Amino acid sequence: MKQLYWAYGLVILIGMLVSCRYPAPVPKPIDGEGPDTTVPNKPDTVIIDTIPAKNPDSSLANTARFGNSKIFDEAKLKASKGIFTKAADYQGRIMDLNYEFVAPGDDTLRFRPFVLMVHEGAFLFGDLGNEMGKARGLAQRGYAAAAINYRLGFNGASETYACGGNSQEAVRAVYRAVQDTYAAIHYFVDRAEEFGIDTRQIMLAGSSAGAITVTALVYMNEADFEALAPGITKALGRLDPKAEDSPFRVRALLTQMGYGIFNDEYINASNAMPTVFFQRIGDNVLPYYRGTFLSCPTYLPMEGAKMAADQLKKFKTPFELNYENLEGHHLSYPEEYVIGRYAGFMKRLWSRNPRQITNDAYKTVEDVGLK
């Protein structure tokens, strides 16, 4: 037995010496800044934290870009359009799904933080053009931004009567929108050199149905969707067919004109994502507290901005909750104000000044710094 223990100990010693001799390489930043030492969130399987840092947080925090100041004239922005994928809609028709991209022209910064924007419309109507005002405003501040169209419609529902379907069909509409958003992310990540985007610094922005979409992308996986709509993966395919490819990192969710998550318990300590919320307490389409999907009595339960913010508060995750104590789905905030709050939130995040802020309209009612 003594000889066996001696042999076993010798093997361990050799292994330790070898591992010390050949340490794992540390990724080096491309732009010559220090390493990004922020603690990563891991909302899904595509968030790979070994991606080399194009722009460490410190460099983004200490530049005049990306805050409230417009650094670039709108006339000098560079825009492009294209198709990022093709997919079958709920009636089996193959659709071209398109995007519009905008970023500073003649920019000296090679890779910019990237905001992908998903429009509103109850998964029944709407167009990427509704997001382009915010996209251009962010580009004037130095960001790269794009808005996308995704598959719309589900059986039984229409633009004039959203409640005509059933829960299974409604969940399928969300699933398709998430699939399309994943496809768009991978499209841009695969072309990061061409578009000049930093794949470690991606923000997902959504309005109303778009807010539901980007939230579901971050917090839900195929098993979660299967629990709501059994057989959905077999019927519609994988939620993210490129989950093992095109790694990227989502840094924050930027949401407005309502918010929705099927269950706030999807948010946990390991995946809690820094988030900006804009929602009315009396929202009659998406609940501010608890209600049902699209406020349709026969659809699944859904939880709004207040419940999600409470979860983030519990897990000490930065957020900014902007609410109006008013009725209705739309907001009174000027678009420029929303853009400024988005940018200010990201600046605080990069500056290692994480805070949990609650604003009643334009008045701050709570501001808690996180350690």
Side-chain angles (χ1 to χ4, degrees):
M1 286 296 289
K2 285 186 178 181
Q3 289 180 338
L4 180 62
Y5 285 137
W6 275 106
Y8 183 64
L10 184 60
V11 169
I12 293 175
L13 180 60
I14 292 171
M16 292 173 64
L17 290 172
V18 170
S19 65
C20 292
R21 185 180 176 187
Y22 301 105
V26 177
K28 295 182 179 180
I30 290 177
D31 293 341
E33 298 282 350
D36 182 355
T37 59
T38 56
V39 177
N41 289 297
K42 296 182 179 179
D44 53 41
T45 57
V46 299
I47 307 304
I48 308 297
D49 294 297
T50 56
I51 305 172
K54 299 275 196 297
N55 297 294
D57 284 7
S58 58
S59 67
L60 300 178
N62 294 322
T63 178
R65 297 165 176 257
F66 313 124
N68 280 323
S69 300
K70 292 182 178 180
I71 307 298
F72 299 90
D73 292 335
E74 185 169 5
K76 295 183 179 180
L77 299 179
K78 182 180 180 180
S80 60
K81 301 179 181 181
I83 295 170
F84 65 90
T85 194
K86 297 175 182 287
D89 71 1
Y90 75 106
Q91 295 179 324
R93 299 171 299 188
I94 301 299
M95 302 183 62
D96 290 337
L97 299 178
N98 61 312
Y99 69 86
E100 291 190 21
F101 175 87
V102 62
D106 298 323
D107 197 356
T108 57
L109 183 65
R110 186 177 177 189
F111 299 102
R112 287 72 58 96
F114 177 55
V115 185
L116 183 68
M117 316 193 84
V118 186
H119 69 77
E120 84 295 344
F123 301 96
L124 296 167
F125 59 95
D127 182 79
L128 63 78
N130 295 338
E131 301 299 309
M132 288 308 297
K134 291 190 289 295
R136 286 188 292 271
L138 288 166
Q140 287 185 270
R141 290 162 170 81
Y143 294 83
I148 62 167
N149 279 325
Y150 55 95
R151 287 170 289 175
L152 300 174
F154 56 99
N155 286 318
S158 66
E159 183 174 344
T160 57
Y161 186 51
C163 301
N166 59 52
S167 287
Q168 298 284 304
E169 293 297 330
V171 172
R172 287 189 176 203
V174 178
Y175 192 94
R176 285 189 290 267
V178 173
Q179 286 179 314
D180 296 343
T181 306
Y182 266 125
I185 294 171
H186 290 302
Y187 178 88
F188 287 106
V189 168
D190 288 343
R191 295 161 179 79
E193 295 277 341
E194 174 187 344
F195 287 104
I197 63 175
D198 186 344
T199 58
R200 276 186 66 92
Q201 300 285 356
I202 293 179
M203 285 68 72
L204 301 181
S207 302
S208 191
I212 294 174
T213 299
V214 298
T215 300
L217 186 149
V218 164
Y219 291 121
M220 294 181 69
N221 55 33
E222 290 174 1
D224 296 321
F225 275 104
E226 283 288 337
L228 300 179
I232 193 169
T233 308
K234 183 177 180 180
L236 300 182
R238 295 185 63 187
L239 190 61
D240 178 13
K242 295 187 68 175
E244 289 76 28
D245 304 321
S246 307
F248 61 91
R249 186 183 186 194
V250 176
R251 295 303 305 272
L253 294 178
L254 311 173
T255 70
Q256 63 125 17
M257 208 168 76
Y259 180 88
I261 187 169
F262 286 113
N263 188 335
D264 66 19
E265 292 186 359
Y266 293 149
I267 304 172
N268 57 54
S270 67
N271 68 11
M273 175 66 62
T275 303
V276 179
F277 306 91
F278 278 91
Q279 188 170 19
R280 285 186 170 182
I281 289 178
D283 194 322
N284 60 345
V285 175
L286 300 178
Y288 179 71
Y289 297 101
R290 287 189 172 94
T292 57
F293 180 72
L294 303 181
S295 292
C296 297
T298 60
Y299 290 172
L300 288 171
M302 180 153 276
E303 298 175 345
K306 182 61 171 67
M307 309 310 295
D310 285 348
Q311 283 290 86
L312 297 181
K313 181 178 292 187
K314 181 167 65 176
F315 298 121
K316 299 187 183 302
T317 300
F319 69 80
E320 180 174 304
L321 173 62
N322 300 278
Y323 69 83
E324 291 183 303
N325 195 9
L326 297 170
E327 299 293 321
H329 184 52
H330 291 271
L331 298 166
S332 303
Y333 301 99
E335 185 174 77
E336 190 65 22
Y337 180 79
V338 173
I339 298 168
R341 300 309 298 189
Y342 284 175
F345 182 80
M346 293 310 304
K347 271 293 193 178
R348 288 195 300 274
L349 198 62
W350 290 322
S351 301
R352 303 182 70 82
N353 180 25
R355 312 194 72 80
Q356 295 179 333
I357 297 174
T358 301
N359 297 320
D360 179 348
Y362 299 100
K363 181 182 178 181
T364 299
V365 295
E366 187 175 36
D367 185 349
V368 177
L370 302 175
K371 295 182 179 179

